[in-house]
Amino acid sequence: MLNDRRGRIRAEADRLFQTFLDHGALPVEAEALQPADLLLDLYGEDIRARAFVTHDPVQGEQMLRPDFTVPVVQMHMDEGAEPARYTYMGPVWRKQEPGSDRASEYLQVGVEVFDRANPAQSDAEVFALFAGVLGDLNLRAATGDLGILMAAVNGLSTLDIRKAALRRHIWRPRRFRQLLERFGGLSPVPESRAALLKAADGTDAARLIEAAGAHVGLREPADIASRITALQADAAAAPIPGIEVRLIEDILAIAEKSDTALARLRRIAADLPAITPALDRMEARLEALAARGIDISGLDFEGSFGRTTLEYYDGFVFGFYAGGRGDLPVIASGGRYDALTEVLGQGRSIPAVGGVIRPELVLALKEGA
């Protein structure tokens, strides 16, 4: 019985894989074991805690791949031609919480598009491809755009170190809100930091370190001095204006149909013009989606969507969910990850977007399991 189910899952994976091949994507593979050092940083804290990591005496620290995107991007940046469309199929591995009944190993079938000609068209291409292959399952599609939130943070009237901290915690909503409230003067400075600042009392960081005595620990004195200087600058800076804090909160609170959401975001842009270029990209994407037959007036858009996904996404994000099946995780998901190509391309970059489908979840819905 178990082998029979595995066979049906594999058949469903083969069907999805063939659909992407028919679309013109080239088949690629990735090694099950991947070098851990760089990849753990790229995947973010969630996957870092859930990765299966081992040590090879020759290769060093290795991990079982938690997804295909990073290895495929690495392959493309090393040797791929442009433009390119790739598809893949195979198992991935992720640790689950104790007591969870979710699988630690499961199949993914996916597609990645590298094309600098028209990113909005590439976004629409991938989303419409997934909507088509999943069309008979009556799934709810949700979309978002992390590029809008990033642009909003970059447009705040505050220190660059504060903006950097907010950008770093975009994928950790609770921490992001705590920082936003503190930088906006709405919550107090943590006690430990307040005590350190009181002890420093305006003293030059280098002198403060010298007065502390012998250096103990892994951090270099220069790093410690830089951190103290940054904390002092933060303490002396004016709060983020209240209107800007409210505008960030307004963006995160949006949960409307895509065309209505764009109109609301345009109104927010009147007071936060830094998001205008991101909204222009969103508008171009919606036009491209509509041209591919997607009803944008019925397509959900959430301002906070994507903030609990993999941390390499930096633009359009999407997910397909089974309504009434809270026991199932997201059936398919994906998004844009332009910055990742620059990191793995060592300065070279190309706009890129992709997504993955879990065939065992597709099969479960088809069979009513």
Side-chain angles (χ1 to χ4, degrees):
M1 187 71 176
L2 179 59
N3 285 337
D4 180 57
R5 174 164 175 75
R6 287 176 175 171
R8 296 198 308 278
I9 292 173
R10 180 62 188 227
E12 183 61 37
D14 288 338
R15 182 187 73 83
L16 296 168
F17 186 61
Q18 187 61 51
T19 299
F20 295 150
L21 290 173
D22 294 342
H23 183 70
L26 298 175
V28 292
E29 296 184 2
E31 296 293 335
L33 280 174
Q34 295 287 323
D37 51 358
L38 175 64
L39 299 189
L40 286 172
D41 289 335
L42 293 173
Y43 281 117
E45 292 300 321
D46 177 60
I47 296 300
R48 175 183 288 274
R50 296 171 60 194
F52 289 95
V53 179
T54 185
H55 184 81
D56 183 278
V58 177
Q59 301 295 329
E61 197 172 44
Q62 303 276 296
M63 71 171 172
L64 287 170
R65 62 174 182 246
D67 86 337
F68 280 84
T69 298
V70 171
V72 171
V73 172
Q74 182 74 76
M75 177 206 69
H76 176 80
M77 300 311 293
D78 288 345
E79 57 191 49
E82 296 181 18
R85 284 155 178 78
Y86 303 110
T87 185
Y88 46 80
M89 173 178 64
V92 297
W93 294 267
R94 298 185 189 181
K95 293 179 184 176
Q96 303 297 341
E97 295 290 337
S100 172
D101 59 356
R102 293 188 174 181
S104 295
E105 176 185 346
Y106 52 87
L107 286 176
Q108 279 187 347
V109 183
V111 65
E112 312 292 339
V113 174
F114 300 81
D115 194 339
R116 65 179 75 252
N118 191 325
Q121 289 289 348
S122 297
D123 287 347
E125 173 190 346
V126 171
F127 182 87
L129 180 60
F130 276 50
V133 77
L134 300 170
D136 59 348
L137 298 180
N138 193 31
L139 302 179
R140 181 183 80 87
T143 66
D145 192 332
L146 291 169
I148 296 172
L149 182 56
M150 291 178 180
V153 168
N154 290 337
L156 293 173
S157 304
T158 193
L159 300 174
D160 287 342
I161 56 172
R162 287 179 168 179
K163 296 178 187 180
L166 288 167
R167 286 195 303 269
R168 188 166 58 251
H169 291 286
I170 278 175
W171 295 272
R172 288 171 281 280
R174 182 177 178 182
R175 180 60 176 156
F176 181 91
R177 178 167 293 279
Q178 289 173 341
L179 288 174
L180 185 64
E181 290 178 351
R182 180 159 63 80
F183 295 157
L186 302 176
S187 63
V189 174
E191 291 184 8
S192 58
R193 180 171 299 188
L196 174 62
L197 291 168
K198 183 178 180 180
D201 194 24
T203 304
D204 175 78
R207 292 181 180 178
L208 190 66
I209 294 172
E210 183 179 355
H215 174 234
V216 178
L218 298 177
R219 290 184 181 272
E220 293 296 326
D223 295 332
I224 298 172
S226 176
R227 178 59 175 162
I228 292 173
T229 300
L231 292 177
Q232 290 173 330
D234 174 58
I240 297 173
I243 186 174
E244 293 184 0
V245 172
R246 290 192 295 274
L247 291 172
I248 294 286
E249 293 173 340
D250 287 346
I251 291 172
L252 292 174
I254 290 176
E256 301 178 11
K257 302 306 179 183
S258 293
D259 52 350
T260 305
L262 177 60
R264 182 173 170 184
L265 286 163
R266 290 290 190 193
R267 292 192 293 272
I268 291 174
D271 294 309
L272 193 59
I275 69 173
T276 297
L279 300 186
D280 292 342
R281 291 190 290 271
M282 178 181 174
E283 184 170 7
R285 179 172 64 247
L286 292 179
E287 291 174 353
L289 285 168
R292 290 178 178 271
I294 303 298
D295 177 16
I296 61 172
S297 65
L299 179 62
D300 289 342
F301 180 92
E302 301 170 15
S304 62
F305 187 79
R307 297 179 67 207
T308 56
T309 61
L310 296 170
E311 293 184 21
Y312 52 66
Y313 290 127
D314 57 8
F316 174 55
V317 283
F318 65 85
F320 288 85
Y321 300 85
R325 291 296 305 269
D327 59 311
L328 295 181
V330 61
I331 310 300
S333 61
R336 175 158 293 280
Y337 48 87
D338 294 351
L340 178 62
T341 70
E342 183 173 2
V343 172
L344 294 178
Q346 298 180 342
R348 297 179 298 110
S349 64
I350 179 173
V353 61
V356 296
I357 301 175
R358 291 182 57 171
E360 88 280 9
L361 300 180
V362 173
L363 182 68
L365 291 172
K366 285 184 173 181
E367 296 183 346

